[in-house]
Amino acid sequence: MYKLLKTLLSSALLLGLFVQVNANEMYVFVSNTELKSKGREIAKLFLGVPVHVVKDDGKNVKVTVKGYIDGLNLYSTEKKKLLIATLFKGFKATKKSENEVELSGYIEKGSLTKESAEVWEEHEEFYYEMCTQCHAAPKIPHHSMTEWEALFEPMKGFAKLDAEESEYLLRYIKSNALNGLVKTNH
Ligand code: HEC
């Protein structure tokens, strides 16, 4: 009895811990979501970008977004493989380390989700439709963004994708790649 209680208690604790660790991370669910700074400057966030929730007052949440900046563009990695935000003039990024910066501001809560998989449902469907005609769907997190750029090049011809479809799919693939936006255990 005591042992059972102990097991239950520790799993409850673990669960609590797990929820807490993840509670502060959310993902942009709507393309071009506006991040408004205190001074009302605007940055636009791309789909699936992870944000760290600092404060939640119901309708709006205060968040931070980390990345690597080049002019008015914010990228997810130092090698600038994936654009995650564009800043309007005046939006100030805070320097975090040598090259990494942080954006801070407010977002409407409705444009965020806790489940990154939810963000990519439509993309995933299109991926399966286009990329399983000749072979099984390749596991996206098995390759880095750079590897995917090379792998994707001939395949977009094979799948007869137009420019817009290619961009749509490649953004999905990169976001979910090994070093993409979605953190997985692969
Ligand atoms: C018309 C058939 C066809 C379609 C459609 C197609 N592929 Fe392929 N794919 C191939 C063939 C054939 C190969 C193996 C030969 C090669 O590497 O060129 C391959 C190989 C690959 C590989 C390399 C596997 C490895 O581990 O080396 C990846 C990754 C891949 N495809 C991804 C995709 C993606 C993503 C799409 C959708 C955009 C796609 N493919 C659509 C025919 C296709």
Side-chain angles (χ1 to χ4, degrees):
M1 183 62 192
Y2 174 70
K3 200 172 163 209
L4 181 69
L5 203 67
K6 213 170 131 180
T7 314
L8 278 176
L9 206 69
S10 57
S11 39
L13 271 175
L14 268 177
L15 213 66
L17 212 67
F18 181 72
V19 169
Q20 245 176 20
V21 165
N22 287 282
N24 296 333
E25 298 301 326
M26 292 186 88
Y27 299 89
V28 173
F29 195 29
V30 180
S31 289
N32 283 326
T33 284
E34 286 190 354
L35 174 72
K36 284 201 188 87
S37 75
K38 238 181 177 167
R40 304 218 152 259
E41 286 89 16
I42 287 173
K44 292 214 168 165
L45 303 181
F46 283 70
L47 206 59
V49 171
V51 302
H52 182 75
V53 176
V54 183
K55 210 171 92 193
D56 183 349
D57 73 7
K59 188 164 180 292
N60 292 302
V61 284
K62 186 178 183 192
V63 303
T64 57
V65 179
K66 279 190 177 161
Y68 297 83
I69 204 151
D70 181 4
L72 295 172
N73 291 331
L74 189 74
Y75 295 89
S76 69
T77 61
E78 207 163 356
K79 285 188 179 155
K80 302 178 197 163
K81 289 290 170 193
L82 191 66
L83 187 61
I84 56 172
T86 49
L87 281 57
F88 282 54
K89 271 209 181 93
F91 199 112
K92 282 184 199 65
T94 313
K95 202 166 173 178
K96 280 285 145 185
S97 61
E98 184 77 47
N99 297 310
E100 206 181 15
V101 299
E102 188 177 86
L103 310 184
S104 174
Y106 296 84
I107 289 185
E108 235 174 80
K109 201 176 175 183
S111 43
L112 297 174
T113 174
K114 285 198 155 79
E115 296 297 327
S116 80
E118 231 173 70
V119 175
W120 301 109
E121 268 170 12
E122 270 178 35
H123 289 75
E124 191 178 18
E125 214 172 283
F126 189 59
Y127 178 73
Y128 277 94
E129 200 180 308
M130 291 298 130
C131 307
T132 59
Q133 301 171 61
C134 311
H135 48 64
K139 297 261 188 294
I140 294 174
H142 285 186
H143 300 285
S144 69
M145 290 195 272
T146 307
E147 284 164 8
W148 265 118
E149 278 178 352
L151 288 166
F152 189 74
E153 201 48 41
M155 292 304 142
K156 72 182 190 198
F158 278 4
K160 300 192 169 62
L161 305 175
D162 65 26
E164 200 182 321
E165 291 168 333
S166 295
E167 201 189 312
Y168 176 85
L169 259 195
L170 190 56
R171 172 154 275 276
Y172 160 67
I173 289 172
K174 280 183 171 182
S175 299
N176 290 275
L178 188 60
N179 57 345
L181 302 175
V182 182
K183 299 290 168 264
T184 61
N185 299 317
H186 291 275

